[in-house]
Protein backbone atom coordinates (compact mmCIF):
# COMPACT_ATOMS: atom_id res chain seq x y z
CA UNK A 1 0.00 0.00 0.00
CA UNK A 2 1.32 3.47 -0.87
CA UNK A 3 2.13 5.78 2.04
CA UNK A 4 1.69 9.51 1.57
CA UNK A 5 4.31 11.84 3.07
CA UNK A 6 4.68 15.50 4.01
CA UNK A 7 8.31 16.63 4.30
CA UNK A 8 8.96 19.81 6.32
CA UNK A 9 12.41 21.34 5.92
CA UNK A 10 12.67 19.97 2.36
CA UNK A 11 15.53 22.29 1.35
CA UNK A 12 17.77 21.20 4.21
CA UNK A 13 20.28 18.35 4.04
CA UNK A 14 17.96 15.68 5.38
CA UNK A 15 14.76 17.11 3.85
CA UNK A 16 16.32 17.08 0.40
CA UNK A 17 17.44 13.45 0.81
CA UNK A 18 14.01 12.43 2.11
CA UNK A 19 12.21 13.94 -0.87
CA UNK A 20 14.61 12.24 -3.29
CA UNK A 21 14.38 8.81 -1.69
CA UNK A 22 10.65 8.83 -0.99
CA UNK A 23 9.88 10.02 -4.52
CA UNK A 24 12.00 7.19 -5.94
CA UNK A 25 10.38 4.54 -3.72
CA UNK A 26 7.52 2.60 -5.37
CA UNK A 27 5.44 2.48 -2.16
CA UNK A 28 5.78 6.15 -1.18
CA UNK A 29 4.33 9.39 -2.47
CA UNK A 30 5.41 12.87 -1.40
CA UNK A 31 2.17 14.88 -1.31
CA UNK A 32 3.82 18.05 0.03
CA UNK A 33 7.33 19.34 0.64
CA UNK A 34 7.74 22.67 2.40
CA UNK A 35 10.45 24.84 3.88
CA UNK A 36 10.79 28.37 5.19
CA UNK A 37 10.13 29.79 1.69
CA UNK A 38 6.59 28.33 1.85
CA UNK A 39 5.78 28.88 5.53
CA UNK A 40 7.07 29.40 9.05
CA UNK A 41 6.36 26.10 10.80
CA UNK A 42 6.08 27.91 14.13
CA UNK A 43 3.06 29.84 12.81
CA UNK A 44 -0.08 27.82 13.72
CA UNK A 45 -2.23 29.67 11.17
CA UNK A 46 0.20 28.96 8.33
CA UNK A 47 0.40 25.29 9.31
CA UNK A 48 -3.42 25.04 9.55
CA UNK A 49 -3.72 26.54 6.06
CA UNK A 50 -1.17 24.01 4.74
CA UNK A 51 -3.08 21.09 6.25
CA UNK A 52 -6.44 22.43 4.99
CA UNK A 53 -4.95 22.57 1.49
CA UNK A 54 -4.00 18.90 1.76
CA UNK A 55 -7.44 17.76 2.89
CA UNK A 56 -8.28 16.11 -0.45
CA UNK A 57 -5.03 14.06 -0.44
CA UNK A 58 -3.85 14.10 3.19
CA UNK A 59 -0.46 12.68 4.16
CA UNK A 60 -0.26 9.57 6.35
CA UNK A 61 3.12 10.66 7.70
CA UNK A 62 4.70 14.07 8.30
CA UNK A 63 8.48 14.28 8.80
CA UNK A 64 9.90 17.33 10.49
CA UNK A 65 13.40 17.77 9.08
CA UNK A 66 13.29 21.54 9.68
CA UNK A 67 15.32 23.05 12.50
CA UNK A 68 17.54 25.98 13.43
CA UNK A 69 20.77 23.97 13.12
CA UNK A 70 23.48 26.63 13.37
CA UNK A 71 24.76 25.68 16.80
CA UNK A 72 26.80 28.83 17.53
CA UNK A 73 24.16 31.18 16.12
CA UNK A 74 21.62 29.60 18.49
CA UNK A 75 23.65 31.02 21.44
CA UNK A 76 23.28 34.52 19.98
CA UNK A 77 19.66 34.09 18.87
CA UNK A 78 17.99 31.97 21.57
CA UNK A 79 14.50 33.15 20.67
CA UNK A 80 14.91 32.11 17.04
CA UNK A 81 16.33 28.78 18.25
CA UNK A 82 13.32 28.28 20.52
CA UNK A 83 11.00 29.11 17.63
CA UNK A 84 12.62 26.74 15.13
CA UNK A 85 13.51 23.88 17.46
CA UNK A 86 10.76 23.83 20.10
CA UNK A 87 7.73 25.90 19.00
CA UNK A 88 7.67 24.67 15.37
CA UNK A 89 7.68 20.97 16.43
CA UNK A 90 4.84 21.69 18.88
CA UNK A 91 2.75 23.45 16.21
CA UNK A 92 3.34 20.62 13.76
CA UNK A 93 2.59 18.01 16.44
CA UNK A 94 -0.72 19.72 17.30
CA UNK A 95 -1.74 19.84 13.63
CA UNK A 96 -0.76 16.18 13.09
CA UNK A 97 -2.64 15.06 16.21
CA UNK A 98 -5.75 16.94 15.08
CA UNK A 99 -5.66 15.38 11.59
CA UNK A 100 -4.58 11.86 12.59
CA UNK A 101 -1.24 12.13 10.77
CA UNK A 102 1.76 10.26 12.13
CA UNK A 103 4.63 12.62 13.02
CA UNK A 104 8.30 11.77 12.65
CA UNK A 105 10.52 14.36 14.34
CA UNK A 106 14.29 14.51 13.94
CA UNK A 107 16.56 15.38 16.84
CA UNK A 108 20.20 15.39 17.80
CA UNK A 109 23.05 13.85 19.81
CA UNK A 110 23.55 17.37 21.26
CA UNK A 111 20.70 16.68 23.73
CA UNK A 112 23.40 14.76 25.66
CA UNK A 113 26.22 16.26 27.74
CA UNK A 114 28.89 14.10 26.14
CA UNK A 115 30.43 13.31 29.53
CA UNK A 116 29.67 9.58 29.33
CA UNK A 117 32.43 7.15 28.36
CA UNK A 118 29.89 4.78 26.80
CA UNK A 119 27.57 5.37 23.87
CA UNK A 120 24.17 6.91 24.65
CA UNK A 121 21.02 4.77 24.61
CA UNK A 122 17.59 6.27 23.93
CA UNK A 123 16.56 6.22 27.61
CA UNK A 124 19.78 7.81 28.93
CA UNK A 125 19.41 11.08 30.80
CA UNK A 126 19.79 14.09 28.48
CA UNK A 127 21.99 16.99 29.58
CA UNK A 128 22.28 19.52 26.78
CA UNK A 129 25.22 21.94 27.00
CA UNK A 130 24.03 24.55 24.48
CA UNK A 131 20.98 26.57 23.46
CA UNK A 132 20.72 24.34 20.38
CA UNK A 133 20.72 21.16 22.51
CA UNK A 134 18.26 22.59 25.07
CA UNK A 135 15.79 23.79 22.42
CA UNK A 136 16.03 20.51 20.49
CA UNK A 137 15.32 18.61 23.72
CA UNK A 138 12.32 20.86 24.35
CA UNK A 139 11.12 20.04 20.81
CA UNK A 140 11.33 16.32 21.55
CA UNK A 141 9.29 16.77 24.72
CA UNK A 142 6.64 18.80 22.88
CA UNK A 143 6.30 16.11 20.21
CA UNK A 144 6.14 13.22 22.68
CA UNK A 145 3.46 14.87 24.81
CA UNK A 146 1.36 16.19 21.90
CA UNK A 147 1.38 13.69 19.05
CA UNK A 148 0.39 10.12 19.81
CA UNK A 149 2.27 7.37 17.91
CA UNK A 150 5.04 9.84 17.08
CA UNK A 151 8.56 8.73 16.22
CA UNK A 152 11.65 10.70 17.24
CA UNK A 153 14.87 9.90 15.40
CA UNK A 154 18.04 11.28 16.98
CA UNK A 155 21.01 11.49 14.66
CA UNK A 156 24.47 13.06 14.65
CA UNK A 157 27.12 14.87 12.59
CA UNK A 158 24.94 15.03 9.48
CA UNK A 159 26.23 15.65 5.96
CA UNK A 160 24.27 15.91 2.74
CA UNK A 161 23.33 18.55 0.19
CA UNK A 162 24.07 21.99 1.63
CA UNK A 163 26.14 23.43 4.46
CA UNK A 164 28.06 20.87 6.51
CA UNK A 165 31.47 20.12 8.05
CA UNK A 166 32.86 18.11 5.10
CA UNK A 167 31.83 20.73 2.53
CA UNK A 168 33.45 23.40 4.70
CA UNK A 169 36.74 21.48 5.12
CA UNK A 170 36.94 20.81 1.38
CA UNK A 171 36.21 24.46 0.61
CA UNK A 172 39.15 25.38 2.85
CA UNK A 173 41.30 22.78 1.07
CA UNK A 174 40.49 24.36 -2.30
CA UNK A 175 41.48 27.76 -0.91
CA UNK A 176 44.78 26.31 0.30
CA UNK A 177 45.55 24.67 -3.03
CA UNK A 178 44.70 27.87 -4.89
CA UNK A 179 47.16 29.71 -2.65
CA UNK A 180 44.45 31.90 -1.13
CA UNK A 181 45.03 30.64 2.42
CA UNK A 182 48.16 29.95 4.41
CA UNK A 183 48.95 27.79 7.43
CA UNK A 184 47.63 24.28 8.04
CA UNK A 185 43.99 23.39 8.58
CA UNK A 186 43.29 22.95 12.29
CA UNK A 187 40.59 20.53 13.46
CA UNK A 188 39.59 19.26 16.91
CA UNK A 189 40.62 15.69 17.65
CA UNK A 190 39.05 15.18 21.07
CA UNK A 191 35.32 15.26 20.23
CA UNK A 192 33.83 11.89 19.29
CA UNK A 193 30.64 11.16 17.38
CA UNK A 194 29.08 9.24 14.55
CA UNK A 195 29.08 11.00 11.16
CA UNK A 196 25.86 10.34 9.23
CA UNK A 197 24.99 10.70 5.55
CA UNK A 198 21.56 12.29 5.06
CA UNK A 199 20.58 9.75 2.39
CA UNK A 200 21.31 6.81 4.70
CA UNK A 201 19.29 8.47 7.46
CA UNK A 202 16.40 9.19 5.06
CA UNK A 203 16.25 5.52 4.08
CA UNK A 204 16.36 4.46 7.74
CA UNK A 205 13.47 6.82 8.56
CA UNK A 206 11.38 5.37 5.73
CA UNK A 207 12.15 1.87 7.00
CA UNK A 208 11.32 2.69 10.63
CA UNK A 209 7.98 4.18 9.60
CA UNK A 210 7.21 1.12 7.46
CA UNK A 211 7.93 -1.04 10.54
CA UNK A 212 5.60 1.08 12.69
CA UNK A 213 8.34 2.30 15.07
CA UNK A 214 7.24 4.70 17.82
CA UNK A 215 9.09 6.59 20.55
CA UNK A 216 12.78 7.50 20.39
CA UNK A 217 15.34 5.80 18.12
CA UNK A 218 19.01 6.59 17.55
CA UNK A 219 20.17 6.34 13.92
CA UNK A 220 23.67 7.13 12.64
CA UNK A 221 26.25 5.64 10.31
CA UNK A 222 28.34 2.84 11.77
CA UNK A 223 31.61 3.56 13.58
CA UNK A 224 32.97 6.44 15.65
CA UNK A 225 35.13 9.36 14.52
CA UNK A 226 36.67 12.57 15.76
CA UNK A 227 36.19 15.71 13.68
CA UNK A 228 39.91 15.41 12.75
CA UNK A 229 39.38 11.86 11.47
CA UNK A 230 36.34 12.98 9.49
CA UNK A 231 38.35 15.84 7.98
CA UNK A 232 41.29 13.54 7.13
CA UNK A 233 39.02 10.92 5.53
CA UNK A 234 37.19 13.55 3.47
CA UNK A 235 40.43 15.18 2.28
CA UNK A 236 41.98 11.83 1.33
CA UNK A 237 38.85 10.73 -0.51
CA UNK A 238 38.68 14.02 -2.42
CA UNK A 239 42.33 13.94 -3.55
CA UNK A 240 43.92 16.19 -0.91
CA UNK A 241 46.16 13.51 0.64
CA UNK A 242 49.09 15.92 0.60
CA UNK A 243 47.33 18.59 2.68
CA UNK A 244 48.19 18.46 6.37
CA UNK A 245 45.63 18.91 9.11
CA UNK A 246 46.74 19.92 12.57
CA UNK A 247 45.07 18.11 15.46
CA UNK A 248 43.87 20.50 18.15
CA UNK A 249 41.98 20.18 21.43
CA UNK A 250 38.54 21.63 22.06
CA UNK A 251 39.95 24.03 24.67
CA UNK A 252 42.26 25.55 22.00
CA UNK A 253 39.24 26.63 19.96
CA UNK A 254 37.02 29.63 20.67
CA UNK A 255 33.39 28.85 19.83
CA UNK A 256 30.17 30.28 21.21
CA UNK A 257 28.36 27.00 21.94
CA UNK A 258 29.96 24.34 24.12
CA UNK A 259 30.01 20.95 22.36
CA UNK A 260 29.60 17.52 23.94
CA UNK A 261 32.98 15.76 23.95
CA UNK A 262 31.61 12.26 23.41
CA UNK A 263 28.10 12.27 21.97
CA UNK A 264 28.31 8.79 20.45
CA UNK A 265 24.83 7.36 19.86
CA UNK A 266 24.15 3.70 20.58
CA UNK A 267 21.96 2.63 17.66
CA UNK A 268 21.30 -0.97 18.73
CA UNK A 269 17.55 -0.37 19.20
CA UNK A 270 17.15 0.60 15.52
CA UNK A 271 19.52 -2.19 14.46
CA UNK A 272 17.38 -4.73 16.33
CA UNK A 273 14.45 -3.61 14.18
CA UNK A 274 16.51 -4.23 11.03
CA UNK A 275 18.00 -0.78 10.30
CA UNK A 276 21.33 -1.31 8.54
CA UNK A 277 23.74 1.62 8.34
CA UNK A 278 27.04 1.42 6.48
CA UNK A 279 30.36 2.57 7.98
CA UNK A 280 30.81 6.35 8.06
CA UNK A 281 33.93 6.15 5.83
CA UNK A 282 31.91 4.43 3.06
CA UNK A 283 29.16 7.00 3.59
CA UNK A 284 31.65 9.86 3.09
CA UNK A 285 32.74 8.23 -0.19
CA UNK A 286 29.13 7.90 -1.32
CA UNK A 287 28.44 11.55 -0.48
CA UNK A 288 31.50 12.79 -2.40
CA UNK A 289 30.53 10.70 -5.44
CA UNK A 290 26.94 11.97 -5.40
CA UNK A 291 25.35 15.10 -6.77
CA UNK A 292 24.88 16.21 -3.13
CA UNK A 293 28.52 17.22 -3.32
CA UNK A 294 28.70 19.48 -6.33
CA UNK A 295 32.46 19.86 -6.99
CA UNK A 296 32.92 17.76 -10.12
CA UNK A 297 36.76 17.50 -10.08
CA UNK A 298 36.65 16.04 -6.58
CA UNK A 299 34.07 13.48 -7.69
CA UNK A 300 36.57 12.31 -10.32
CA UNK A 301 34.18 13.39 -13.09
CA UNK A 302 35.54 16.75 -14.19
N1 LIG B 1 23.28 19.15 10.77
C1 LIG B 1 23.69 18.30 11.70
O1 LIG B 1 24.90 18.05 11.86
C2 LIG B 1 22.70 17.58 12.57
C3 LIG B 1 23.18 16.72 13.57
C4 LIG B 1 22.24 16.06 14.37
C5 LIG B 1 20.90 16.25 14.19
N2 LIG B 1 20.47 17.11 13.23
C6 LIG B 1 19.03 17.30 13.07
O2 LIG B 1 18.67 16.76 11.83
C7 LIG B 1 17.57 17.52 11.27
C8 LIG B 1 17.92 17.94 9.86
O3 LIG B 1 19.10 18.76 9.91
P1 LIG B 1 19.73 19.38 8.59
O4 LIG B 1 21.19 19.48 8.82
O5 LIG B 1 19.19 18.66 7.41
O6 LIG B 1 19.11 20.85 8.64
P2 LIG B 1 19.38 22.06 7.65
O7 LIG B 1 20.17 21.60 6.48
O8 LIG B 1 19.90 23.19 8.48
O9 LIG B 1 17.92 22.40 7.14
C9 LIG B 1 16.92 22.81 8.00
C10 LIG B 1 15.86 23.51 7.19
O10 LIG B 1 14.79 23.88 8.06
C11 LIG B 1 14.37 25.19 7.71
N3 LIG B 1 13.70 25.82 8.84
C12 LIG B 1 14.23 26.18 10.03
N4 LIG B 1 13.29 26.74 10.81
C13 LIG B 1 12.14 26.74 10.09
C14 LIG B 1 10.83 27.21 10.35
N5 LIG B 1 10.49 27.80 11.52
N6 LIG B 1 9.89 27.05 9.39
C15 LIG B 1 10.21 26.48 8.20
N7 LIG B 1 11.44 26.02 7.91
C16 LIG B 1 12.39 26.15 8.84
C17 LIG B 1 15.67 25.86 7.36
O11 LIG B 1 15.43 27.08 6.66
P3 LIG B 1 16.48 28.29 6.89
O12 LIG B 1 17.81 27.78 6.38
O13 LIG B 1 15.90 29.40 6.06
O14 LIG B 1 16.49 28.57 8.35
C18 LIG B 1 16.37 24.80 6.53
O15 LIG B 1 15.98 24.82 5.17
C19 LIG B 1 17.32 18.66 12.26
O16 LIG B 1 16.31 18.28 13.13
C20 LIG B 1 18.63 18.76 13.03
O17 LIG B 1 18.43 19.30 14.32
C21 LIG B 1 21.33 17.76 12.40
Amino acid sequence: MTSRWLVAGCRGQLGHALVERLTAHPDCEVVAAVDREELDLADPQAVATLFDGLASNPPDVAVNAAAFTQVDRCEREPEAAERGNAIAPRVLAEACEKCGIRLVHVSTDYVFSGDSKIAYREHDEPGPRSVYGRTKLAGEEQVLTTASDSLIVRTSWLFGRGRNFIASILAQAREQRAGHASGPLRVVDDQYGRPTYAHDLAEAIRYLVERGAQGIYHVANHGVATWWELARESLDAAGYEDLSVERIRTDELTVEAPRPLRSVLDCSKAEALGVKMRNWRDAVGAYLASSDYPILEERGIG
Side-chain angles (χ1 to χ4, degrees):
M1 204 177 85
T2 302
S3 56
R4 297 185 304 275
W5 295 66
L6 160 67
V7 178
C10 66
R11 288 187 191 83
Q13 300 188 86
L14 175 60
H16 182 270
L18 276 164
V19 171
E20 249 187 39
R21 292 203 85 98
L22 293 169
T23 306
H25 197 281
D27 299 333
C28 300
E29 182 192 352
V30 177
V31 295
V34 295
D35 208 300
R36 198 188 290 282
E37 280 176 32
E38 286 76 30
L39 84 168
D40 176 2
L41 281 171
D43 176 350
Q45 193 51 53
V47 172
T49 305
L50 169 71
F51 278 53
D52 286 349
L54 295 171
S56 60
N57 188 22
D60 307 302
V61 188
V63 192
N64 182 24
F68 190 165
T69 58
Q70 295 176 60
V71 178
D72 288 316
R73 228 180 110 194
C74 286
E75 298 292 314
R76 264 174 280 137
E77 301 175 36
E79 282 171 19
E82 173 81 11
R83 191 169 175 82
N85 296 337
I87 298 175
R90 189 194 71 217
V91 169
L92 198 57
E94 284 168 354
C96 285
E97 183 65 6
K98 194 170 154 209
C99 300
I101 296 167
R102 202 147 154 244
L103 177 60
V104 181
H105 177 67
V106 181
S107 192
T108 171
D109 55 328
Y110 280 22
V111 299
F112 293 114
S113 69
D115 296 339
S116 174
K117 295 260 182 300
I118 51 172
Y120 286 99
R121 305 283 311 259
E122 286 79 356
H123 55 261
D124 284 334
E125 191 64 34
R129 302 171 65 94
S130 61
V131 170
Y132 173 69
R134 280 194 291 280
T135 54
K136 288 295 293 182
L137 180 62
E140 288 186 6
E141 287 160 0
Q142 297 283 358
V143 167
L144 287 173
T145 53
T146 309
S148 37
D149 307 339
S150 55
L151 167 65
I152 291 184
V153 177
R154 288 191 191 130
T155 192
S156 55
W157 296 27
L158 202 60
F159 54 92
R161 180 167 298 206
R163 185 171 28 83
N164 64 63
F165 174 80
I166 300 175
S168 151
I169 285 290
L170 294 181
Q172 291 175 58
R174 278 192 298 283
E175 289 288 294
Q176 291 262 352
R177 191 161 274 176
H180 298 321
S182 60
L185 294 174
R186 301 170 79 234
V187 178
V188 288
D189 197 29
D190 61 354
Q191 288 174 29
Y192 295 82
R194 293 180 67 163
T196 305
Y197 184 26
H199 266 274
D200 294 349
L201 176 61
E203 177 54 26
I205 288 174
R206 189 205 61 74
Y207 177 86
L208 285 170
V209 168
E210 185 186 86
R211 297 299 303 263
Q214 293 175 19
I216 303 177
Y217 280 79
H218 290 174
V219 178
N221 276 122
H222 198 68
V224 176
T226 66
W227 290 112
W228 185 90
E229 287 170 330
L230 180 56
R232 188 68 270 163
E233 178 70 26
S234 308
L235 290 164
D236 291 349
Y240 294 101
E241 297 91 341
D242 55 318
L243 215 73
S244 64
V245 190
E246 192 183 315
R247 300 170 193 258
I248 59 168
R249 291 188 319 271
T250 297
D251 60 17
E252 292 177 75
L253 202 66
T254 310
V255 285
E256 287 158 280
R259 264 65 169 180
L261 278 185
R262 214 186 155 83
S263 58
V264 178
L265 297 175
D266 179 325
C267 300
S268 49
K269 184 177 168 189
E271 284 160 12
L273 214 60
V275 171
K276 292 185 182 62
M277 298 291 280
R278 63 184 140 186
N279 187 274
W280 68 265
R281 291 182 193 273
D282 297 333
V284 168
Y287 162 66
L288 292 177
S290 78
S291 59
D292 288 338
Y293 184 70
I295 310 299
L296 295 182
E297 312 85 70
E298 289 164 7
R299 290 164 54 196
I301 298 168

